[in-house]
Amino acid sequence: QVQLVESGGGLVQAGGSLRLSCAASGSILTIIAMDWYRQTPGKQRELVAGISNGGGTKYGDSVKGRLTLSRDNAKNMMYLQMNSLKPEDTAVYYCHADIVSRTLGRNDYWGQGTQVTVAS
């Protein structure tokens, strides 16, 4: 079984910073890619940032220059440093990963989500 667990969400004032973490655990052979998505009520889940196994990153247009994504392959961890936060960044942030498991083959996995609230 493979699990993704997010941490680091919370309440912050506009202009502040938060660091989200995503921990992957279980029978993992290879993590191909990891991403952060976010969702607000009534809207579709949107891609915030993603990172490949080789370290290549991509960011959504609304967060470029403010967020930095990194990954620790040895620990199966992903981190999202969020700076200069805006009220419109308020959302539930979800970790997603494309993982090859020793027992289950290749699948997509999602975490339970962590709430980020930015007060104006």
Side-chain angles (χ1 to χ4, degrees), residues 72-91:
D72 186 334
N73 290 334
K75 297 181 178 179
N76 291 334
M77 294 287 297
M78 174 176 64
Y79 307 97
L80 183 66
Q81 179 65 43
M82 304 192 293
N83 299 325
S84 302
L85 284 164
K86 304 175 181 179
E88 50 263 44
D89 292 318
T90 296

Side-chain angles (χ1 to χ4, degrees), residues 91-108:
V92 178
Y93 285 70
Y94 295 92
C95 176
H96 166 264
D98 181 359
I99 295 174
V100 179
S101 164
R102 290 184 174 87
T103 56
L104 299 174
R106 183 175 178 178
N107 288 287
D108 288 317

